[in-house]
């Protein structure tokens, strides 16, 4: 185990000396300050304060490997030397280190106290020396170029300066807080630039390539979310350097001027530039790529779609021709036998002119030979504008237009949706997944849905097609819809079919991840639906996402396709309690990354969650439920409400007679008696219209052949409708008897 000092004379801390200082305090059952730990290595606190957290984390790791308690638990701020409390960043850092070691701290303060007491007991018999080897600093470190020594100081400087700063402020902070030899500060490279500043510039370049600094901004250095919470030992800095150099084939001539902007990130310099991914095939085999290249254009092959998107294309926008498909074999990573979405980038270009016909743009093309394959985060819709502000889309843009490399480990391990599918901790493929065909949904299917409003009507919906179209349009614009109505009006049945129409398919292979169904009930909680602590199977509690966050992450991972969550009986739970802070984010005006919020339970300190615009929520609500008022208060602003009525109409009659063989005489009898019953219920002062009996009770299932219509109706009345009436009129048995007699007369 090594605690390598920073090369080039930069200050380092000695693990052995820190250990002895902490051990001495523990043997006296006393706490020790961070400043005292720094002083043990002969370092000034002002210069060491940014190095202490990663230093203590390495010390804790060594302790854990030896079966010791977390000895850093007794290191506190000077103000807490008597109490031993940890607060703010100190407590967060301690808990983060504990989490890396596999500890779960449901009560952070209780966990801290337990570790402190364990340290005091351990110290009685602990060894006097830590006994790790400390390597001496050297300017001739052969592990990498000399600018690697500045990786960690650049991070520390930006963290100390609030996350972003001009380069001059970063240089000044590093000079002030680190022991830089005067000779290094005075030396100039062949361009007359300070060698010190150029080395720091190269460090920034590599940190940006490694995702710790935003490399897209000129004149200001800004940490990414990952960079704000990172520190690098010299070994980790060398590893990052080698990974970046291998992945991007980057030159490391440190005497050359460091790039001001990381290659590829200049794509994002123009805030109005858009990035388009488009198809070039229609009918499955009619690939237009060669023609487009020869004519210097791109054209839409669908006359009634994508006009609005094409009219937004403008000169200067970047455009790529892609083909989407799926694969299961021969992949450059372990897909655990599961099908993976793929996208082949066949050509890239720059739009030079929009012709203005809603169909054609002129393009300067570059054919990619061979085409380049991209995995996981793909677009199947023919025309998609990538959101350059989104981290995932940004990686695709750099891959397509800047010849970037795809980091498969990032997608498999860091993106929740794909991590659950493909990481080594995920489930292996089921037999169904192993033997299913590789092609799940083609671009043509995405462009021409296989399930539409016509299918809803054909499967037994008795509403007019224009009404269904209005419902689809409403949920697309409002994002959230509740179908409410009396029992038996087909609310859940219709909600699922509206979901199929939004998705464009009823195929289980397509809807498996894009449609989720849940039922609210009084016992359902935020921890069940959003996120909470659950048993992990290892005797510990694990912070686990519920169905809502699962579909949120799935929708983010496939942004060009609609996802639907159907919530049955949405008024039987407490929506404000179940959704928690995410109830606010359901609003259509807050479906953006800028509105992201912290959760009650966070996976990491910087986690923010938003609900993407391609996720739709459809709820059902029985308006006979007495808890309706509570639901109105919680949901009215976030959901559009559509009322469903009993539909004993012409389409219902045709269904019963033409599809199910019920005679027209029996259908008329059923209609007359159900209408009479509903009129009586509607006029009853203790009930009202919301208690009417819906048409589902008297609608035969698809494919049913009713040979004896009256006998079938009698069975429905006796086993379904009369029990419902007994519930309605539990205190008026005479009404139940009268209504039952009218329904059963002559049957």
């Amino acid at each position: 185990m090594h605690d390598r000092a920073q090369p080039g004379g930069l200050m380092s801390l000695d693990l052995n000396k820190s250990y002895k200082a902490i051990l001495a305090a523990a043997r006296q059952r006393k706490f020790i300050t961070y400043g005292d730990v720094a002083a043990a290595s002969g370092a000034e606190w002002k210069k060491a304060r940014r190095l202490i957290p990663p230093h203590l984390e390495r010390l804790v790791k060594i302790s854990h490997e030896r079966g010791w308690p977390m000895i850093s638990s007794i290191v506190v701020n000077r103000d807490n030397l008597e109490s031993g409390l940890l607060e703010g960043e100190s407590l967060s850092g301690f808990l983060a280190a504990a989490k890396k070691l596999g500890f779960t701290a449901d009560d952070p303060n209780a966990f801290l106290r337990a570790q402190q007491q364990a340290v005091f007991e351990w110290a009685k018999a602990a060894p006097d020396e830590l006994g790790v080897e400390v390597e001496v600093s050297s300017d001739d470190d052969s592990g990498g170029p000399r600018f690697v020594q500045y990786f960690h100081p650049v991070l520390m400087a930006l963290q100390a300066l609030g996350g972003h700063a001009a380069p001059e402020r970063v240089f000044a902070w590093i000079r002030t807080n680190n022991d830089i030899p005067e000779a290094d500060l005075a030396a100039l490279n062949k361009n007359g630039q300070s060698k010190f500043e150029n080395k720091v510039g190269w460090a920034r370049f590599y940190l940006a390539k490694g995702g710790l600094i935003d490399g897209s901004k000129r004149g200001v250095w800004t940490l990414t979310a990952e960079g704000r919470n990172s520190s690098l030992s010299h070994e980790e800095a060398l590893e990052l350097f080698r990974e970046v150099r291998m992945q991007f084939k980057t030159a490391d001539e440190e005497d050359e001027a460091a790039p001001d902007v990381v290659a590829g990130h200049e794509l994002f310099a123009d805030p109005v530039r858009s990035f388009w991914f488009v198809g070039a095939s229609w009918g499955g085999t009619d690939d237009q790529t060669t023609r487009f290249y020869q004519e210097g254009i791109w054209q839409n092959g669908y006359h009634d779609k994508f006009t609005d998107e094409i009219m937004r294309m403008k000169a200067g926008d970047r455009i790529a021709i892609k083909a989407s498909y799926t694969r299961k074999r021969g992949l450059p990573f372990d897909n655990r036998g599961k099908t993976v979405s793929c996208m082949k980038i066949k050509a890239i270009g720059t739009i030079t002119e929009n012709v203005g016909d809603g169909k054609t743009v002129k393009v300067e093309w570059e054919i990619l030979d061979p085409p380049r394959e991209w995995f996981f985060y793909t677009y199947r819709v023919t025309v998609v504008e990538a959101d350059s502000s989104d981290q995932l889309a940004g990686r695709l843009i750099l891959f397509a237009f800047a010849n970037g490399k795809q980091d498969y480990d990032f997608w498999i391990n860091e993106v929740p949706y794909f991590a659950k599918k493909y990481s080594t901790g995920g489930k292996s493929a089921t037999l169904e997944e192993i033997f299913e065909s590789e092609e799940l949904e083609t671009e043509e299917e995405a462009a021409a849905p296989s399930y539409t409003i016509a299918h809803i009507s054909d499967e037994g919906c008795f509403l007019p097609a224009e009404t269904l179209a209005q419902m689809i349009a409403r949920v697309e614009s409002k994002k959230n819809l509740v179908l409410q109505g009396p029992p038996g009006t087909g609310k859940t049945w219709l909600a699922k079919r509206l979901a199929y129409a939004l998705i464009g398919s009823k195929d289980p292979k397509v809807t498996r991840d894009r449609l989720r169904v849940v039922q609210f009930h009084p016992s359902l909680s935020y921890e069940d639906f959003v996120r909470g602590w659950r048993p992990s199977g290892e005797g510990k509690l694990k912070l686990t996402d519920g169905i809502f966050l699962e579909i949120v992450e799935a929708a983010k991972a496939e942004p060009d396709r609609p996802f639907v969550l159907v919530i049955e009986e949405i008024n039987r739970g407490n929506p404000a309690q179940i959704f928690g802070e995410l109830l606010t984010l359901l609003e259509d005006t807050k479906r953006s990354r800028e509105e992201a919020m912290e959760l009650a339970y966070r996976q990491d300190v910087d986690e923010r969650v938003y609900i993407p615009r391609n996720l739709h929520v459809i709820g059902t609500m029985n308006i006979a439920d007495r808890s309706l008022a509570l639901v109105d208060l919680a949901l009215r602003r976030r959901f559009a409400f559509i009322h469903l009525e009993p539909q004993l109409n012409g389409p219902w009659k045709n269904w019963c007679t033409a599809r199910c063989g019920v005679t027209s005489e029996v259908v008329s009898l059923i209609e007359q008696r159900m209408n009479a019953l509903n009129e009586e219920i509607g006029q009853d002062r203790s009930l009202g219209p919301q208690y009417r009996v819906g048409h589902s009770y008297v609608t035969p299932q698809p494919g049913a052949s009713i040979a004896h219509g009256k006998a079938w109706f009698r069975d429905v009345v006796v086993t379904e409708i009369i029990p419902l009436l007994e519930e309605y009129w539990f205190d008026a048995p005479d009404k139940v008897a009268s209504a039952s007699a009218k329904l059963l007369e002559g049957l």
Side-chain angles (χ1 to χ4, degrees):
M1 179 69 65
H2 304 295
D3 184 30
R4 183 192 293 255
Q6 298 289 345
L10 294 182
M11 177 192 60
S12 66
L13 299 171
D14 188 322
L15 283 172
N16 295 299
K17 294 177 180 179
S18 298
Y19 170 82
K20 294 186 72 172
I22 295 172
L23 177 61
R27 285 177 172 171
Q28 300 178 57
R29 299 187 70 84
K30 292 183 178 180
F31 301 105
I32 183 173
T33 69
Y34 295 106
D36 290 336
V37 172
S41 295
E44 296 180 29
W45 167 243
K46 181 179 71 171
K47 295 183 177 181
R49 60 191 180 92
R50 291 291 173 179
L51 303 177
I52 282 287
H55 178 71
L56 289 178
E57 187 173 323
R58 290 196 291 275
L59 190 55
V60 164
K61 183 178 179 182
I62 295 171
S63 303
H64 185 70
E65 290 171 349
R66 298 183 181 184
W68 301 343
M70 295 183 66
I71 64 176
S72 68
S73 62
I74 68 169
V75 185
V76 299
N77 289 317
R78 186 167 299 279
D79 293 341
N80 297 326
L81 191 57
E82 293 298 324
S83 66
L85 292 176
L86 289 180
E87 300 173 315
E89 292 184 2
S90 298
L91 180 60
S92 298
F94 173 75
L95 294 175
K99 182 179 180 181
K100 288 183 180 179
L101 298 177
F103 291 111
T104 299
D106 295 332
D107 185 337
N109 287 319
F111 176 76
L112 171 65
R113 289 300 189 193
Q115 288 294 318
Q116 290 172 338
Q117 292 304 313
V119 170
F120 292 148
E121 291 301 314
W122 157 85
K124 296 175 182 178
D128 294 334
E129 301 288 342
L130 183 63
V132 299
E133 180 183 349
V134 180
E135 295 185 3
V136 180
S137 302
S138 170
D139 282 332
D140 298 323
D141 190 322
S142 61
R146 287 171 294 177
F147 60 71
V148 174
Q149 67 186 284
Y150 290 104
F151 282 23
H152 181 72
V154 169
L155 286 179
M156 296 299 99
L158 287 171
Q159 290 172 6
L161 295 170
H164 57 86
E168 293 76 15
R169 294 187 66 200
V170 177
F171 300 148
W173 191 96
I174 295 175
R175 284 195 297 266
T176 301
N177 292 276
N178 295 273
D179 297 322
I180 312 296
E182 287 298 325
D184 287 0
L185 294 173
L188 302 178
N189 63 15
K190 61 184 180 182
N191 297 317
Q193 181 187 17
S194 163
K195 283 192 174 183
F196 159 72
E197 293 184 0
N198 197 47
K199 289 176 184 176
V200 174
W202 273 108
R204 177 260 186 172
F205 176 83
Y206 273 83
L207 290 169
K209 283 287 191 181
L212 302 180
I213 288 180
D214 182 353
S216 65
K217 298 178 174 62
R218 293 181 182 272
V220 61
W221 296 2
T222 303
L223 292 173
T224 63
E226 182 180 358
R228 287 196 296 271
N229 295 282
S230 294
S231 62
L232 294 173
S233 67
H234 189 64
E235 289 86 351
E236 291 167 335
L238 282 172
E239 183 180 354
L240 174 63
F241 164 75
R242 291 166 185 145
E243 287 178 355
V244 170
R245 184 172 58 176
M246 182 181 299
Q247 182 177 4
F248 294 97
K249 295 182 174 60
T250 305
D252 47 84
E253 297 293 334
E254 59 183 348
D255 286 335
E256 299 293 332
D260 183 43
V261 178
V262 177
H265 285 279
E266 66 274 7
L267 290 166
F268 308 111
D270 185 351
V272 300
R273 176 181 291 138
S274 296
F275 300 89
W276 302 92
F277 289 81
V278 298
S281 298
W282 298 283
T285 58
D286 189 13
D287 189 344
Q288 304 289 311
T289 302
T290 301
R291 179 175 73 85
F292 289 162
Y293 172 71
Q294 293 171 345
E295 298 181 15
I297 62 169
W298 177 81
Q299 285 184 327
N300 178 28
Y302 298 97
H303 299 291
D304 57 344
K305 295 180 180 179
F306 310 118
T307 301
D308 292 341
E309 289 86 346
I310 295 167
M311 291 301 293
R312 292 206 316 273
M313 294 179 178
K314 59 189 179 300
D317 286 358
R318 301 303 304 272
I319 187 169
I321 293 177
K322 51 85 179 176
S324 300
Y325 48 96
T326 56
R327 279 178 56 190
K328 191 183 297 184
R329 303 171 187 86
L331 294 163
F333 50 85
D334 181 7
N335 58 318
R336 298 180 63 78
K338 297 186 177 183
T339 302
V340 179
S341 294
C342 310
M343 190 162 68
K344 185 174 292 183
I345 308 297
K346 300 190 287 186
I348 59 173
T350 301
I351 296 176
T352 59
E353 180 185 349
N354 190 323
V355 175
D357 61 356
K359 180 180 178 181
T360 308
V361 291
K362 295 183 179 180
V363 182
E364 289 183 355
W365 286 114
E366 173 190 349
I367 296 292
L368 300 183
D369 187 16
R372 305 182 68 214
E373 276 193 310
W374 170 268
F375 303 97
F376 305 113
Y377 180 94
T378 62
Y379 300 138
R380 290 187 182 271
V381 175
T382 302
V383 180
V384 179
E385 180 182 6
D387 180 2
S388 59
S389 67
D390 178 69
Q391 178 196 17
L392 303 185
R395 287 175 176 260
L396 169 59
I397 291 169
L398 288 174
F399 174 86
F401 300 107
N403 197 35
K405 305 298 181 184
Q406 186 171 12
D407 181 355
Y408 306 128
D409 287 341
F410 167 82
W411 295 92
I412 292 175
N413 296 316
E414 301 298 328
V415 181
Y417 175 66
F418 298 117
K420 290 180 180 177
K421 276 190 168 185
Y422 304 112
S423 73
T424 54
K427 296 186 298 183
S428 298
T430 63
L431 285 175
E432 179 185 4
E433 291 170 327
I434 290 173
F435 290 106
E436 72 184 8
S437 63
E438 290 196 3
E439 192 64 70
L440 298 185
E441 181 188 24
T442 65
E443 288 193 43
E444 287 71 25
E445 288 173 333
S450 60
Y451 193 94
T452 64
I453 288 173
H455 293 89
I456 301 178
S457 298
D458 187 62
E459 290 183 2
C461 181
F462 310 131
L463 293 169
E466 53 269 23
T467 300
L468 295 174
Q470 291 170 359
M471 290 182 182
I472 294 289
R474 197 72 188 100
V475 73
E476 286 179 332
S477 62
K478 183 68 174 176
K479 304 302 177 188
N480 312 305
L481 177 73
V482 167
L483 300 176
Q484 62 181 14
T489 48
K491 299 179 289 296
T492 297
W493 183 93
L494 181 57
K496 291 179 180 178
R497 279 152 184 81
L498 290 176
Y500 296 148
L502 284 165
I503 293 171
S505 176
K506 194 180 179 181
D507 187 338
K509 291 182 294 186
V510 176
T511 62
R512 182 164 50 211
D513 293 321
R514 294 167 58 191
L515 170 63
R516 303 293 297 273
V517 181
V518 64
Q519 180 171 332
F520 277 9
H521 53 79
S523 297
L524 191 68
S525 68
Y526 175 94
E527 288 75 11
D528 300 319
F529 185 65
V530 179
R531 177 185 287 166
W533 293 100
R534 302 179 197 173
S536 65
E538 301 174 355
K540 300 178 181 178
L541 292 177
K542 180 181 179 182
L543 200 56
T544 305
D545 289 349
I547 187 174
F548 189 61
L549 276 191
E550 286 181 346
I551 196 169
V552 163
E553 293 298 334
K556 290 179 184 177
E558 300 186 74
D560 66 321
R561 284 177 273 186
F563 285 69
V564 185
L565 174 64
V566 172
I567 303 176
E568 298 185 41
E569 306 286 1
I570 197 170
N571 55 329
R572 294 199 182 278
N574 182 342
Q577 180 267 327
I578 295 172
F579 277 102
E581 62 276 345
L582 294 185
L583 184 61
T584 297
L585 300 185
L586 279 175
E587 292 187 33
D588 57 316
T589 58
K590 296 185 178 179
R591 296 289 194 94
S592 67
R593 195 168 292 99
E594 292 74 21
E595 299 290 342
M597 296 175 63
E598 296 181 3
L599 295 184
Y601 303 108
R602 288 175 286 171
Q603 295 284 9
D604 59 69
V605 69
D606 277 335
E607 183 186 32
R608 303 291 185 274
V609 172
Y610 71 96
I611 301 175
R613 296 193 62 80
N614 61 320
L615 174 58
H616 309 279
V617 181
I618 302 178
T620 68
M621 186 165 71
N622 184 347
I623 60 173
D625 195 299
R626 301 292 184 179
S627 62
L628 173 61
L630 174 65
V631 172
D632 274 346
L633 292 175
L635 296 186
R636 186 62 63 182
R637 286 185 56 244
R638 280 93 181 177
F639 284 76
F641 286 75
I642 291 180
H643 190 82
L644 300 182
E645 296 279 344
Q647 298 292 326
L648 300 171
N649 53 15
W652 171 77
K653 293 179 182 178
N654 291 336
W655 174 273
C656 294
T657 55
R659 294 290 191 95
C660 304
V662 183
T663 65
S664 57
E665 292 79 11
V666 172
V667 169
S668 296
L669 174 69
I670 295 172
E671 177 190 15
Q672 180 271 323
R673 295 192 178 179
M674 292 300 295
N675 283 337
L677 173 64
N678 282 334
E679 183 176 357
E680 181 179 357
I681 291 173
Q683 293 177 355
D684 190 293
R685 296 180 62 183
S686 66
L687 298 177
Q690 67 268 29
Y691 285 86
R692 289 173 295 169
V693 180
H695 56 273
S696 296
Y697 284 93
V698 289
T699 303
Q701 293 297 311
S705 180
I706 309 299
H708 304 286
K710 287 187 177 181
W712 171 80
F713 179 49
R714 177 183 178 85
D715 288 342
V716 170
V717 170
V718 171
T719 62
E720 299 181 49
I721 297 178
I722 291 178
L724 180 66
L725 298 179
E726 290 173 341
E727 183 71 22
Y728 283 175
W729 286 312
F730 67 94
D731 57 350
D734 55 326
K735 290 186 178 181
V736 176
S738 174
S740 300
K742 294 175 183 177
L743 287 170
L744 294 172
E745 183 180 355
L747 297 182

